Amino acid sequence: MSEKELKVAADVELTAQPDRTEPEDASISGARRRSTTRLELWAFYVYYIGNNGLSGFNFGPSQFQNLLFLAGYDPSQPPFTAPCGADTDCVLPYLGSVRDVNSIVLLTNGISFALQAAVLLLIGAWADYGRWRPNITIFFTVLAVAVSFAWLGVDDPSRWQAGVALYILGLITYQCALTFWTAAFPGLARDLPEVQDSAEKLLSGEKSTSEHADLESMERNRISNVSFAVCSAGEIVILAVMVGILKGLHSDASTENNTKAFSVLIAFSGGVWLLCALPWFLIEKRRPGLALPAGASMLTIGFKQTWVALRECMRLKQTFLYLIFYFLMGDVLNTTVTVIGTLQNSVVSYSTLQLTLLLIVGIVAQGAGIYLFWLVQKRFQISTKTMLCFNVFWILILTVWGLIGIHTDKFGFKHVWEIWLYQAYYGLMVCPWYAYSQTMISEVSPLPQMFLFFALFSVVGKTSAFIGPLVSSAIITASGNNDNYPFVFLFILGALSTVFLYLVDVGKSRAECEEFVQAEAKREAFADTP
């Protein structure tokens, strides 16, 4: 999931400006910033192979739910006298109430995202100033890897409370590392040699504003889609190795072996992540950020920046419309995937081998889906918004799929064949969201304040991501533990969000952002680091 930037005339001048951290003789007007090299770009891609979500987003949550299921009891019998079964409900006391284990997963997921929002509100802005961002990426990556290895000590149902802590930490560190890695995208895309050449031609009058904007937009989409494709290819190799590990551990021989195998896979994913991260840590060029505004400190800048971004966003009508859409649809997709994940784990009886094979199908489909979307977009020169609209339609169909299962056991993520079909469907039709939704942010944000607006979207995204799971958890409890009822809420919210996407006009946004940049240049509110 990952990218950023755009804009026109006034922004192009910034593209051509030198890097303020270069030596004095390089700061002559018109000198180029340091160009993005092919090696640096591939280090960026390879990092994403490691930060693929297998530890914190896939096997971590599955192990957590598995531990809950094994520690839980059948509520139709006296507490803790009858274990959970495939055809029984499964509950545990959690945060003052006896809850369905799927409700516990959703509630814990909501708590995790709430903490993520708080963390990013405090330090998310640090990506914009000086050279802090690479260090923060390194910190969260190392911490995430440590959490992955800590799962080796949590492989028994009696330790499910420790699993709660690792589940929350795993999600937070994964998302924060991903957020700060993604924040490198504006500099990489802006400093591509072809984009720099185009910017110079625009300034010399050899190119029109629209031609440059179209080239820059397509380059952003190319980098985004290639990063997803490379991640998918690398992830398939990792999953294939995991199948061998599971065979060696005899994971399907017993419940105990299966539970231990979960923890081994999480630790292995963490080790691969660290190896894939090292090239990026060593090769990334430290591009400069902004200067701290007067009266601000590193402890207060996050809150101030979020307020400023929200205030400025209100001046950019198209950006604000997309912000509302992003808030709503991001919540719909995150919660839908989480709810389906809990249903999937139950349907396949938490089998590590089955889940790994399902992931292989999903990743192959993901790579194919993103590549096909990109080929179609490139062949017919389709705009980012149009591609996103097409993608959103299939996300809504996913909620309808789950909604059908409220009153029937024949459909609605209730059978193994549906889970296999879902993985293929999700990869082909839903995964392009993670590329196009991010690219669209760059289409409606002013380049000089790109980090500012991405920080705002990131906080908004994390805020919405905890609302959905908390509401869905409450819905499951109120419906008598019907795990499909949240899809009603998700479909209605998703349908509402599409109205705001339809109203976004990218052409008007470019004009609004140009006016915004010129106004801010006069105020000098966002000066570069000297």
Side-chain angles (χ1 to χ4, degrees), residues 50-317:
N51 189 5
N52 50 43
L54 287 177
S55 57
F57 194 72
N58 293 117
F59 290 116
S62 294
Q63 173 70 315
F64 175 52
Q65 190 179 350
N66 175 54
L67 293 173
L68 293 177
F69 179 81
L70 294 175
Y73 63 88
D74 181 354
S76 67
Q77 304 296 323
F80 297 105
T81 60
C84 300
D87 299 321
T88 69
D89 288 335
C90 187
V91 299
L92 270 175
Y94 186 68
L95 296 181
S97 298
V98 175
R99 306 174 189 273
D100 179 84
V101 294
N102 289 351
S103 178
I104 292 174
V105 172
L106 288 167
L107 181 57
T108 310
N109 190 270
I111 293 171
S112 172
F113 277 110
L115 293 173
Q116 286 176 46
V119 169
L120 289 172
L121 187 61
L122 177 65
I123 69 171
W126 294 3
D128 294 3
Y129 298 95
R131 300 170 180 270
W132 277 86
R133 183 194 46 72
N135 297 330
I136 301 172
T137 304
I138 293 172
F139 171 78
F140 279 114
T141 300
V142 172
L143 186 56
V145 171
V147 170
S148 298
F149 281 103
W151 274 105
L152 290 172
V154 183
D155 56 3
D156 186 270
S158 63
R159 299 173 183 169
W160 69 268
Q161 291 94 338
V164 173
L166 292 182
Y167 174 66
I168 292 175
L169 281 173
L171 284 175
I172 291 174
T173 53
Y174 160 68
Q175 291 286 356
C176 288
L178 187 64
T179 296
F180 284 96
W181 167 79
T182 299
F185 185 84
L188 289 176
R190 179 181 56 184
D191 292 342
L192 285 169
E194 50 268 46
V195 174
Q196 291 180 327
D197 289 340
S198 178
E200 292 175 355
K201 289 179 180 179
L202 175 57
L203 291 175
S204 66
E206 298 177 52
K207 257 192 173 184
S208 68
T209 296
S210 61
E211 287 175 332
H212 174 74
D214 289 343
L215 170 68
E216 195 170 359
S217 177
M218 293 303 291
E219 286 301 318
R220 286 195 308 275
N221 278 287
R222 179 180 66 83
I223 292 178
S224 174
N225 287 304
V226 169
S227 68
F228 275 96
V230 170
C231 176
S232 298
E235 201 169 348
I236 291 170
V237 175
I238 295 170
L239 289 168
V241 174
M242 286 181 171
V243 171
I245 292 174
L246 293 175
K247 293 294 185 181
L249 293 173
H250 304 291
S251 63
D252 53 353
S254 67
T255 300
E256 291 74 16
N257 284 7
N258 187 68
T259 302
K260 291 181 182 295
F262 265 125
S263 294
V264 171
L265 293 186
I266 297 170
F268 176 73
S269 299
V272 172
W273 185 355
L274 183 60
L275 288 176
C276 291
L278 291 176
W280 176 241
F281 293 164
L282 298 173
I283 296 173
E284 181 191 7
K285 296 174 182 175
R286 301 285 179 122
R287 292 175 171 82
L290 304 172
L292 276 174
S297 70
M298 294 305 288
L299 292 178
T300 62
I301 187 60
F303 300 97
K304 180 174 182 179
Q305 187 190 60
T306 300
W307 163 247
V308 170
L310 184 59
R311 183 192 68 199
E312 302 302 339
C313 190
M314 298 295 290
R315 294 166 52 192
L316 301 168
K317 180 180 177 182

Side-chain angles (χ1 to χ4, degrees), residues 4 19 22 32 85 114 146 148 156 188 202 216 260 294 298 303 312 314 321 358 363 377 428 432 452 466 497 523 528:
K4 336 164 167 308
D19 188 327
E22 293 287 344
R32 282 195 177 197
S148 298
D156 186 270
L188 289 176
L202 175 57
E216 195 170 359
K260 291 181 182 295
M298 294 305 288
F303 300 97
E312 302 302 339
M314 298 295 290
L321 286 173
L358 283 167
I363 298 305
Q377 182 184 21
L428 286 170
L452 179 73
F466 80 76
S497 73
R523 290 200 314 161
D528 284 337

Side-chain angles (χ1 to χ4, degrees), residues 456-474:
L456 174 63
F457 274 86
S458 182
V459 170
V460 165
K462 296 300 180 290
T463 302
S464 71
F466 80 76
I467 293 174
L470 293 179
V471 172
S472 296
S473 176

